[in-house]
Amino acid sequence: MSQLSFLDKLLDGVEVEWRELGSTIDFRRGKRLIKSQLTESGEYAVYQNSMTPLGYYHLSNVSAKSVFVICAGAAGEIGFSDDDFWAADDVYYAEKSEILDSKYLYHFLLTQKYKIASQVRRASIPRLSKSAIDKLIIPIPCPNNPEKSLAIQAEIVRILDTFTELTIELTIELNARKQQYNHYRDQLLTFEEGEVEWKTLGEIAEYSKDRISFEILDETNYVGVDCLLQNRAGKTLSKHVPNSGNSTKYNVGDILIGNIRPYLKKIWYADCSGGTNGDVLVVRPTAPQINSRYLYQVLADDKFFEYNMRYAKGAKMPRGNKPKILEYLVPIPSKAEQARIVTTLDKFDALTNSITEGLPREIELRQKQYEYYRDLLLSFPKPSDEKAA
């Protein structure tokens, strides 16, 4: 079904009017609370300068089913709460409207996220003005019949919520699988004293000293720390491929570790050859008794990243201590046991971390599906479009 025929059927020929948001609904600013008033748990979440609750309070100042926008800090972030909450002074929240469904407004604002972000004043604390929101133009179907207008908006919301609910279900499943993964990882990589031999990383591996020319590198095989993904999620294409000189070379089976802010847990098992820079460590197994994929699983464990942070240098931008990393102790079970551990953990790794398969890929596809239908359902013709036609 084409975009126009789908909208025609949904709207049944009704008028659509584009109005400035400020003339349709009132966004108000929240009220500041001091830190001593907050608790770690309570009845009402307090939103201040991010989508993560700052704490909890015994009162609320915004009713459930409301839209809010962060105006300082994570300025431009858009939220919707199914529960009553407290909006602090760095939050704008939408009052109830007789002509605008709150969830319809939320989905619409998500289509305007880039436009809103462009209005954020970049300073030490990014800020967003109320006028930037008020000047947005929102489509109101059947504006002269509020009852029918709200019914149409509700149907659009119902369709879009179907996609978001599926994404939420997949995310819950992903979190459960990650917990299961961490349980098996901890169990499989924990050994009793005397059960296996232990060696330092420097005894079974080394940092790559090989070099590779920029002429051989492209966006697929150059790996900077910026394209390594957090929490063991692999890598993306590089946006900063060098155009001169030589880089550190990595080979298939090498382990690349982001050496800036180790707590981000950036690690990738190389499935091709390529190059990188000094912000990424290339660990190359050298001992014949080590399965390279097993070593990857050991270094992808939280215990390694905690060790790495313990000896990291610098406060604002900590870097891993390369000599200390080579002192990290690695358990060495038999080759057969290493293979068994790898088989088990790789299945969970693909399911919970891979961006090309497993749950992360499924969530990404559902999110793209939601965005496609959201843009389709909210792309009403504007007056300028009608004149041009």
Side-chain angles (χ1 to χ4, degrees):
M1 184 180 292
S2 70
Q3 176 177 330
L4 287 178
S5 62
F6 186 88
L7 288 175
D8 285 344
K9 183 176 180 180
L10 180 64
L11 295 173
D12 195 23
V14 302
E15 177 188 1
V16 174
E17 181 180 333
W18 287 80
R19 297 180 180 178
E20 281 198 352
L21 199 53
S23 67
T24 308
I25 195 167
D26 186 23
F27 272 88
R28 296 190 177 185
R29 193 161 189 165
K31 185 176 180 180
R32 184 177 181 81
L33 293 175
I34 60 175
K35 195 169 183 179
S36 62
Q37 292 176 287
L38 305 180
T39 60
E40 293 184 2
S41 62
E43 191 171 355
Y44 302 108
V46 176
Y47 292 99
Q48 171 70 14
N49 51 17
S50 77
M51 285 296 150
T52 302
L54 183 66
Y56 295 85
Y57 193 50
H58 68 281
L59 296 175
S60 66
N61 61 358
V62 185
S63 59
K65 309 295 181 184
S66 291
V67 177
F68 62 98
V69 181
I70 305 297
C71 60
E77 287 297 308
I78 301 156
F80 183 89
S81 178
D82 286 313
D83 303 309
D84 295 351
F85 67 97
W86 184 277
D89 60 339
D90 284 338
V91 174
Y92 298 126
Y93 63 92
E95 289 284 282
K96 299 299 181 184
S97 169
E98 294 182 356
I99 196 171
L100 199 58
D101 182 289
S102 293
K103 201 65 177 290
Y104 175 83
L105 169 62
Y106 170 70
H107 288 298
F108 167 75
L109 286 175
L110 290 179
T111 71
Q112 305 295 300
K113 197 163 185 179
Y114 292 112
K115 185 178 291 185
I116 293 172
S118 71
Q119 299 301 308
V120 173
R121 298 196 305 273
R122 302 296 172 184
S124 57
I125 299 178
R127 295 191 177 278
L128 177 71
S129 69
K130 182 174 178 293
S131 63
I133 302 173
D134 288 341
K135 290 179 181 179
L136 295 172
I137 301 175
I138 187 169
I140 307 295
C142 204
N144 298 321
N145 187 338
E147 184 178 351
K148 186 171 183 179
S149 179
L150 289 172
I152 293 170
Q153 293 175 44
E155 177 60 14
I156 291 174
V157 168
R158 185 193 67 78
I159 295 169
L160 295 179
D161 278 357
T162 300
F163 293 110
T164 56
E165 286 167 6
L166 179 57
T167 301
I168 290 171
E169 290 175 4
L170 289 170
T171 302
I172 292 172
E173 174 72 9
L174 175 60
N175 290 334
R177 289 289 172 263
K178 283 185 175 180
Q179 290 181 355
Q180 193 177 25
Y181 182 24
N182 290 335
H183 169 76
Y184 276 105
R185 176 187 292 280
D186 185 61
Q187 187 179 61
L188 290 170
L189 295 178
T190 298
F191 300 92
E192 298 291 335
E193 185 176 351
E195 184 180 0
V196 297
E197 182 181 11
W198 293 76
K199 289 183 177 291
T200 65
L201 181 61
E203 292 178 291
I204 58 173
E206 64 183 8
Y207 295 127
S208 171
K209 300 180 181 65
D210 297 341
R211 307 294 285 172
I212 187 171
S213 170
F214 76 95
E215 298 173 319
I216 305 175
L217 303 176
D218 57 31
E219 62 180 6
T220 65
N221 68 352
Y222 181 76
V223 180
V225 72
D226 58 308
C227 62
L228 284 174
L229 300 175
Q230 299 181 27
N231 297 315
R232 303 175 277 258
K235 75 173 187 70
T236 60
L237 298 178
S238 175
K239 297 179 181 178
H240 306 287
V241 181
N243 54 19
S244 64
N246 295 322
S247 299
T248 300
K249 183 181 180 182
Y250 67 82
N251 297 324
V252 175
D254 286 348
I255 301 156
L256 278 63
I257 303 171
N259 202 38
I260 297 178
R261 295 187 290 179
Y263 58 82
L264 294 178
K265 303 174 186 177
K266 293 186 171 187
I267 188 168
W268 177 61
Y269 182 81
D271 57 10
C272 64
S273 297
T276 185
N277 58 31
D279 293 332
V280 177
L281 305 180
V282 178
V283 176
R284 179 169 297 162
T286 56
Q289 71 267 38
I290 284 292
N291 178 320
S292 62
R293 187 67 188 176
Y294 168 78
L295 182 59
Y296 163 80
Q297 291 291 2
V298 170
L299 297 180
D301 188 45
D302 283 347
K303 290 191 287 290
F304 169 73
F305 291 109
E306 290 165 4
Y307 171 91
N308 203 357
M309 274 303 299
R310 194 182 315 141
Y311 296 101
K313 300 177 180 179
K316 290 186 177 180
M317 190 73 73
R319 289 175 176 267
N321 184 324
K322 292 177 66 174
K324 274 300 199 183
I325 289 172
L326 291 179
E327 294 177 14
Y328 185 71
L329 289 173
V330 177
I332 316 291
S334 68
K335 289 292 288 284
E337 180 63 10
Q338 290 180 46
R340 186 185 74 83
I341 292 171
V342 166
T343 299
T344 302
L345 293 183
D346 275 1
K347 289 178 181 178
F348 281 105
D349 194 39
L351 181 66
T352 59
N353 294 323
S354 175
I355 60 173
T356 58
E357 56 183 314
L359 288 170
R361 175 61 173 166
E362 188 67 20
I363 290 171
E364 181 187 21
L365 291 174
R366 297 291 76 78
Q367 180 64 23
K368 287 181 177 179
Q369 193 176 32
Y370 159 75
E371 291 171 0
Y372 170 79
Y373 280 101
R374 182 192 67 199
D375 295 344
L376 177 68
L377 290 167
L378 295 173
S379 60
F380 301 102
K382 293 182 179 179
S384 58
D385 298 334
E386 293 171 353
K387 290 178 182 178

